[in-house]
Amino acid sequence: MAIRRGRGVAAINYPTGMNLGGDPTQALVHSTPTGNFMVTLSSVDLGQGMKQIMAQICAETIGVPTDRVIVDTADTDTGPHCMGTFASRGTHRAGNAVIQAAREARQVMLEVAAEELEVNASDLETDGQGNILVKGAPQRSISIFDVALSAHFKRGRSISGRGMFLIPRSYPEKETGAMKPSTCYAHACTVAEVEVDDETGEVTVLTVRNVFEIGRALNPKMVEQQLVGGSWMAISHALYETTEPYYPDRDHGGTDFNQYLMPGPGDLAQTEIIVLERPSADGPFGAKGPGEMCANPQIPAVANAVFDAVGVRIDTLPITPERILRALKAQASN
């Protein structure tokens, strides 16, 4: 009986969004009288940071500081249409819709500023700090605050825009069944190192090294947090979590979340995250969707590491000590 060490590798690609009849998302952007901007969506922030990213995308497109943008994820009764927050589609679909809406609002903003400065709108640019400047003559400028006041109370203009991003439905080819379910894919590879006690079946994950290709990281620190948390979640899926009791029958199962098996801080492996950026041609500023993919490659990597350590293949989750011991016993009897 011994502690055996193994290493496992797994690589995946993951579609951004889905295509089961078209995949649309809409967005609205409008200015307040004081020059702040409101983004209205029906896309829901589940804690992944969608509001922050949509604020960044809107601010970058209009040319204002991010803290001048407010994101309202209303609901399906009062907000513009969205298919939903799932399929790792939020940043890609909603982000593109916000860009369209923000561009339209920006154009109105520049037209109002042009009237105030008595120039052509095409001769204006923003400085990213809340001001609109005449190209080549930055001393001639006007604040976005003053432009918004003028639009509302003097010019009778609505600084607003509408955005609609749609991935058209992809129909299968009759002859081959081929179709295009997604316009871009993210990629990942994980290397996991484990120790397996071949007497007790206990698995200890030592290290998890992950490489993710996600298009472009619009907020690198938030991306890192998402990927690290997803990696830990995947280890929990691989080794711990289940709603089905298995010791030794259903009568011994947990009855609430206090008895739901999950790893604690001391069970988490040393985790490394490397992000590769290959901007997507149709992503907002090149972004893809890292959402669900972050918890995928670690599971087969751990399963492969267990196989490398003790020579048995466990193809049912979670990979419990009992299942490992049963597999070792079956292997020994053959």
Side-chain angles (χ1 to χ4, degrees):
M1 304 300 179
I3 303 293
R4 303 186 182 276
R5 180 171 291 202
R7 176 181 295 171
V9 181
I12 66 166
N13 67 352
Y14 202 88
T16 297
M18 57 84 185
N19 194 322
L20 299 175
D23 192 7
T25 288
Q26 300 177 7
L28 302 175
V29 172
H30 74 271
S31 167
T32 69
T34 55
N36 291 324
F37 287 85
M38 174 70 73
V39 179
T40 305
L41 300 168
S42 290
S43 308
V44 177
D45 192 325
L46 302 176
Q48 78 277 34
M50 173 176 282
K51 286 187 174 182
Q52 173 64 27
I53 294 301
M54 294 305 111
Q56 289 182 214
I57 289 173
C58 180
E60 182 71 18
T61 304
I62 292 177
V64 297
T66 302
D67 61 11
R68 299 282 292 272
V69 178
I70 304 165
V71 178
D72 177 21
T73 53
D75 59 45
T76 53
D77 283 335
T78 61
H81 176 253
C82 177
M83 289 294 289
T85 303
F86 60 92
S88 302
R89 67 185 296 282
T91 295
H92 188 273
R93 304 301 198 258
N96 275 312
V98 168
I99 286 176
Q100 290 183 16
R103 283 175 177 167
E104 190 172 294
R106 173 186 167 90
Q107 182 59 34
V108 177
M109 178 184 73
L110 294 180
E111 290 172 2
V112 173
E115 293 177 348
E116 292 295 313
L117 293 171
E118 298 181 342
V119 297
N120 292 324
S122 59
D123 294 329
L124 298 176
E125 61 185 0
T126 53
D127 66 356
Q129 301 300 315
N131 301 295
I132 299 173
L133 319 174
V134 176
K135 296 176 183 177
Q139 69 276 9
R140 296 191 63 195
S141 66
I142 185 171
S143 70
I144 292 176
F145 177 91
D146 287 332
V147 171
L149 287 175
S150 174
H152 282 81
F153 299 106
K154 180 179 177 182
R155 304 290 177 178
R157 300 290 301 274
S158 173
I159 300 178
S160 59
R162 302 156 297 173
M164 169 74 167
F165 184 73
L166 171 66
I167 299 295
R169 181 175 180 178
S170 175
Y171 290 89
E173 297 177 2
K174 292 182 179 179
E175 295 79 9
T176 65
M179 64 177 298
K180 190 175 183 180
S182 183
T183 61
C184 64
Y185 293 80
H187 306 84
C189 181
T190 293
V191 179
E193 290 187 290
V194 306
E195 287 183 344
V196 182
D197 187 325
D198 63 7
E199 183 175 9
T200 66
E202 183 179 6
V203 178
T204 302
V205 182
L206 303 175
T207 62
V208 180
R209 294 180 170 88
N210 306 282
V211 179
F212 294 93
E213 185 277 301
I214 61 167
R216 187 177 180 189
L218 302 186
N219 187 310
K221 186 54 75 173
M222 288 178 64
V223 166
E224 180 185 0
Q225 292 170 347
Q226 173 100 352
L227 298 180
V228 170
S231 184
W232 293 349
M233 182 178 178
I235 300 305
S236 187
H237 285 325
L239 299 178
Y240 298 90
E241 293 189 54
T242 179
T243 57
E244 292 294 325
Y246 44 83
Y247 286 113
D249 58 44
R250 295 183 66 87
D251 293 337
H252 295 268
T255 58
D256 56 35
F257 281 114
N258 288 324
Q259 297 173 318
Y260 187 75
L261 191 60
M262 295 178 66
D267 302 309
L268 296 174
Q270 177 185 342
T271 304
E272 181 180 359
I273 301 292
I274 296 174
V275 174
L276 303 180
E277 294 185 300
R278 291 183 58 196
S280 168
D282 68 348
F285 300 103
K288 300 178 183 179
E292 294 156 308
M293 177 189 69
C294 61
N296 281 3
Q298 300 85 0
I299 297 172
V302 169
N304 289 337
V306 170
F307 176 78
D308 185 50
V310 293
V312 295
R313 178 70 67 186
I314 310 299
D315 56 10
T316 301
L317 296 180
I319 303 172
T320 62
E322 180 187 37
R323 287 179 173 142
I324 291 174
L325 293 178
R326 288 183 184 277
L328 288 172
K329 183 178 179 180
Q331 182 187 67
S333 64
N334 291 335

